Amino acid sequence: LENAHSDMELLSMQDHLTGAWNRRYLSEKFSEFSQYCFDNGKIMHVAILDIDDFKGLNDEFGHQFGDKILISVADIFVRLLERDGRLIRLGGDEFQIIYCGDDLDTIIEKAVAELQQQFADADLGSDRIISLSAGIVNTEPGKRADLEALYKSADNALYREKNARPRKDEDINPLERTGTWRL
């Protein structure tokens, strides 16, 4: 009975489609993960990832194709993040990464390269592309992570990236970066 309860609790923290963690996992486990980063003197990185025009892809190519994209994104990121990171599906086509390692940017670049290979043969027509945008922030060395502040900063960076809004000099946060990658 205890094993069944434990299994059910774990299942309740995973997204049913992608196998990524879900918001419940994030709210229940973030403090433990943050403490691990702090105790080991590591910087925590938080990224918000979004598949650009996901609704349009679903409408044009069907939900099975959209699901394939979501599953591929999750599979690749979960594998590359290994024990130092977690991928959380926030909902729809939006994911969050929490990472306690040296170089999240390199992991994102590797994941994008793998996704590009996977979707290289997808016949989307000449006008259509699949792309992934991200807003990425990290804690200052030696500082504890604040999930709400990191999420807000990463989400704002993603919003600016997706809307191609230039930043004012006073808005520049040296702990923040963005990117958009064609898959």
Side-chain angles (χ1 to χ4, degrees), residues 73-97:
V73 166
D75 287 347
I76 290 169
F77 273 102
V78 166
R79 181 175 40 78
L80 291 174
L81 290 168
E82 297 176 337
R83 67 179 184 86
D84 290 331
R86 303 290 182 271
L87 181 72
I88 295 96
R89 184 173 179 205
L90 298 173
D93 63 321
E94 193 170 77
F95 293 91
Q96 181 172 357
I97 293 173

Side-chain angles (χ1 to χ4, degrees), residues 47 49 77 97 104-113 134 136 181:
L49 308 173
F77 273 102
I97 293 173
L104 180 58
D105 294 349
T106 299
I107 288 174
I108 291 173
E109 293 293 336
K110 286 179 183 178
V112 166
I136 309 161
W181 301 266

Side-chain angles (χ1 to χ4, degrees), residues 1 8 12 45 52 85 109 160 163 181-182:
L1 190 57
M8 290 301 290
S12 72
H45 305 267
D52 300 321
E109 293 293 336
R160 279 193 308 277
N163 292 295
W181 301 266
R182 183 179 180 159

Side-chain angles (χ1 to χ4, degrees), residues 157-176:
L158 172 65
Y159 180 78
R160 279 193 308 277
E161 177 70 16
K162 289 181 75 68
N163 292 295
R165 288 185 167 181
R167 298 194 292 189
K168 300 176 204 162
D169 286 342
E170 64 268 15
D171 289 340
I172 294 175
N173 177 348
L175 304 175
E176 178 184 294

Side-chain angles (χ1 to χ4, degrees), residues 22-173:
N22 63 25
R23 287 178 184 262
R24 180 175 180 207
Y25 174 88
L26 184 63
S27 66
E28 290 187 16
K29 301 293 184 180
F30 180 79
S31 61
E32 290 174 32
F33 195 78
S34 174
Q35 189 65 45
Y36 168 80
C37 290
F38 184 77
D39 290 348
N40 290 287
K42 296 187 175 193
I43 294 171
M44 178 180 280
H45 305 267
V46 172
I48 306 296
L49 308 173
D50 183 82
I51 300 163
D52 300 321
D53 191 28
F54 187 70
K55 182 185 180 326
L57 290 167
N58 267 338
D59 290 348
E60 193 170 340
F61 300 104
H63 289 275
Q64 277 187 312
F65 183 72
D67 288 352
K68 181 180 178 184
I69 295 170
L70 294 172
I71 292 165
S72 294
V73 166
D75 287 347
I76 290 169
F77 273 102
V78 166
R79 181 175 40 78
L80 291 174
L81 290 168
E82 297 176 337
R83 67 179 184 86
D84 290 331
R86 303 290 182 271
L87 181 72
I88 295 96
R89 184 173 179 205
L90 298 173
D93 63 321
E94 193 170 77
F95 293 91
Q96 181 172 357
I97 293 173
I98 54 174
Y99 181 69
C100 189
D102 294 328
D103 195 2
L104 180 58
D105 294 349
T106 299
I107 288 174
I108 291 173
E109 293 293 336
K110 286 179 183 178
V112 166
E114 286 188 38
L115 287 163
Q116 288 169 338
Q117 283 186 325
Q118 262 190 22
F119 291 105
D121 295 331
D123 183 16
L124 303 179
S126 61
D127 295 13
R128 180 57 91 168
I129 63 167
I130 305 170
S131 60
L132 178 73
S133 294
I136 309 161
V137 296
N138 55 270
T139 58
E140 293 181 48
K143 296 274 182 156
R144 290 194 182 272
D146 175 345
L147 177 60
E148 191 171 320
L150 289 168
Y151 175 85
K152 184 177 179 179
S153 184
D155 196 47
N156 286 338
L158 172 65
Y159 180 78
R160 279 193 308 277
E161 177 70 16
K162 289 181 75 68
N163 292 295
R165 288 185 167 181
R167 298 194 292 189
K168 300 176 204 162
D169 286 342
E170 64 268 15
D171 289 340
I172 294 175
N173 177 348

